[in-house]
Amino acid sequence: MAPLRRAASAAAVLLALTGLFLLVLSPADAATAAVEGGELRMKQSDGGYSYNSTLAHILVEYASAVYTSDLTSLLKWTCPRCEGHTKGFQMIEIIVDVEKCLQAFVGVAPDPRSIIIAFRGTQEHSASNWIEDLFWKQLDVTYPGMPDAMVSPISTGKFSIIFLRNTNEFEITCSLYVFLMLQVHHGFYSAYYNTTLRHEILKSVQWAWKTYGRLPINVVGHSMGGALASFCALDLSVKWGSHKVQLITFGQPRVGNPAFAEYFNEQVPRTIRVTHENDIVPHLPPYFYYLGEWTYHHFAREVWLRETIVGNVVTRNETVCDCSGEDPTCSRSVYGRSVADHLEYYGVNLHADSRGTCQFVIGASNSAYGDILQFDGTIILSRYPQKRYPVESI
């Protein structure tokens, strides 16, 4: 009975904490959102940007191609996934962080005529392993235009729950942090900003503009790659203007709190988040409207793919959701427990072609391109000679 008593005590503590959260939070505490009628309300604006189904069907093929582990075939755009709507794509650079199992590429597409930046999602033995590790961890950051993004805490402390594996017991230690600021998921933020990815991508965009002219930019990604693509699109929009950048992600998780979501909506208005049926990942990290600014919150706009079956007729629906980011009539209307729905969008497979640990293959001949460089656990295959110089402001 002792474990049951400890569990009951822990539950009481959690209930007390929830009550404390609700007492501390108020609409005045959140400059960008408020809890009204049991739902978190945010300013809604689509910036005049609408969903283009044809474009989404094209870009999902790039989100699939970036999972290719044969870097030679990917570099020359001869891989099995490098066909269909993506024929004629000219690769500029592939960046692989071997240690962190990250991969992205930059190139120029003939249709739509644009720069394509694609990020790969996780490449674990199964998506389930990564999903289990998708836990709450936020990092306070500052972006231009957010002068109040780094507000000092009005109280300090620690809240943690330690689950003891193979037992029914758990320990809880708690006090309270109160932050009224823009917050993002630490792991996703670091994977883009604190690795080689960002530097190489910005450098490649700069080279592409000098070579092909100032083409628009399409940023795409699936799963964790969608989270990285989001930070990349925000980075490019802040640096070079939102009119240059479009973002489409597939099955991406939440990446920040409501303040971040609203800021993102303003900075990257040409954004579509595609979700599929009962895909589990768009439901993570969890959304709790009663936590106000402390919860994770999707940015707009969602397009929900689902099938309806009436008799022998299967209808594929593409529902354009509202601009709140958390439309209760779209993916939030289902439980979201499917890994299978996470690995396929528009009939295209979105997972690694080699299972298990991160594996990359480079052929002996890559004469079509300028450089293959390895440093600090990163492999770079580039069309132009590599130089370690600061990205210019253009």
Side-chain angles (χ1 to χ4, degrees):
M1 293 299 291
L4 292 177
R5 283 196 297 270
R6 281 192 286 271
S9 299
V13 171
L14 288 176
L15 287 173
L17 280 171
T18 301
L20 182 56
F21 285 163
L22 295 175
L23 285 173
V24 172
L25 275 175
S26 71
D29 289 334
T32 59
V35 178
E36 298 175 2
E39 190 68 25
L40 192 64
R41 306 297 181 188
M42 295 182 66
K43 296 177 183 177
Q44 297 189 18
S45 173
D46 60 6
Y49 182 64
S50 58
Y51 169 60
N52 184 326
S53 178
T54 300
L55 178 63
H57 278 75
I58 294 173
L59 295 184
V60 74
E61 294 188 14
Y62 289 104
S64 176
V66 75
Y67 277 101
T68 300
S69 58
D70 182 345
L71 301 184
T72 300
S73 66
L74 185 62
L75 190 69
K76 297 180 178 180
W77 208 250
T78 57
C79 65
R81 303 189 190 205
C82 306
E83 299 177 352
H85 295 102
T86 68
K87 285 184 178 180
F89 179 72
Q90 294 179 291
M91 185 70 74
I92 293 175
E93 185 174 42
I94 302 171
I95 312 104
V96 180
D97 186 317
V98 179
E99 181 181 352
K100 297 180 175 62
C101 200
L102 304 173
Q103 182 170 316
F105 67 66
V106 183
V108 174
D111 182 24
R113 185 65 174 170
S114 61
I115 297 170
I116 303 291
I117 303 172
F119 291 85
R120 190 189 64 199
T122 182
Q123 188 172 322
E124 297 293 338
H125 177 66
S126 70
S128 300
N129 294 339
W130 173 72
I131 290 167
E132 290 173 3
D133 290 337
L134 192 55
F135 61 93
W136 284 50
K137 188 176 183 182
Q138 297 189 117
L139 174 72
D140 309 321
V141 299
T142 301
Y143 278 104
M146 290 291 290
D148 59 343
M150 292 299 292
V151 180
S152 298
I154 60 176
S155 65
T156 60
K158 181 173 69 173
F159 174 71
S160 62
I161 302 177
I162 304 172
F163 290 91
L164 305 181
R165 294 184 181 273
N166 303 319
T167 74
N168 295 321
E169 302 180 42
F170 51 91
E171 301 172 358
I172 296 183
T173 61
C174 59
S175 51
L176 189 62
Y177 277 108
V178 179
F179 292 95
L180 304 176
M181 61 181 68
L182 178 151
Q183 293 181 310
V184 297
H185 188 280
H186 178 274
F188 301 146
Y189 178 91
S190 295
Y192 174 71
Y193 281 96
N194 298 336
T195 65
T196 310
L197 290 181
R198 179 177 186 261
H199 177 89
E200 293 300 326
I201 287 169
L202 293 179
K203 195 169 64 173
S204 291
V205 170
Q206 176 181 295
W207 186 90
W209 276 350
K210 289 181 177 179
T211 306
Y212 297 94
R214 294 180 73 88
L215 298 173
I217 302 170
N218 281 293
V219 189
V220 302
H222 165 252
S223 191
M224 182 181 72
L228 302 185
S230 300
F231 284 115
C232 178
L234 178 58
D235 189 22
L236 298 176
S237 293
V238 169
K239 187 174 182 61
W240 288 316
S242 62
H243 63 287
K244 284 289 184 183
V245 182
Q246 294 186 101
L247 171 69
I248 295 187
T249 67
F250 308 93
Q252 79 158 74
R254 296 181 177 95
V255 297
N257 70 346
F260 176 80
E262 185 161 340
Y263 177 68
F264 191 96
N265 292 341
E266 293 171 355
Q267 297 296 325
V268 198
R270 305 171 73 192
T271 292
I272 295 293
R273 288 186 306 100
V274 186
T275 59
H276 178 213
E277 288 280 1
N278 294 285
D279 183 348
I280 185 174
V281 172
H283 294 259
L284 301 172
Y287 167 75
F288 299 114
Y289 70 84
Y290 48 81
L291 294 182
E293 283 296 310
W294 296 350
T295 190
Y296 280 88
H297 193 292
H298 273 306
F299 49 75
R301 171 192 299 262
E302 178 187 2
V303 172
W304 186 34
L305 310 180
R306 61 191 178 92
E307 293 182 351
T308 55
I309 303 175
V310 179
N312 294 323
V313 179
V314 178
T315 303
R316 291 180 172 84
N317 304 287
E318 299 179 14
T319 303
V320 180
C321 311
D322 67 23
C323 298
S324 68
E326 295 290 349
D327 189 337
T329 67
C330 286
S331 64
R332 275 188 57 211
S333 66
V334 297
Y335 285 111
R337 297 174 177 172
S338 174
V339 174
D341 287 346
H342 180 62
L343 301 178
E344 180 182 314
Y345 274 71
Y346 300 105
V348 176
N349 290 329
L350 292 166
H351 55 76
D353 52 10
S354 61
R355 300 290 179 151
T357 58
C358 296
Q359 297 178 351
F360 306 100
V361 179
I362 302 177
S365 174
N366 286 286
S367 58
Y369 288 82
D371 265 346
I372 302 177
L373 192 64
Q374 298 187 47
F375 62 93
D376 296 336
T378 301
I379 300 172
I380 297 173
L381 292 83
S382 177
R383 183 174 179 177
Y384 56 89
Q386 286 292 301
K387 294 180 180 178
R388 304 303 297 169
Y389 56 84
V391 177
E392 298 174 10
S393 177
I394 59 176

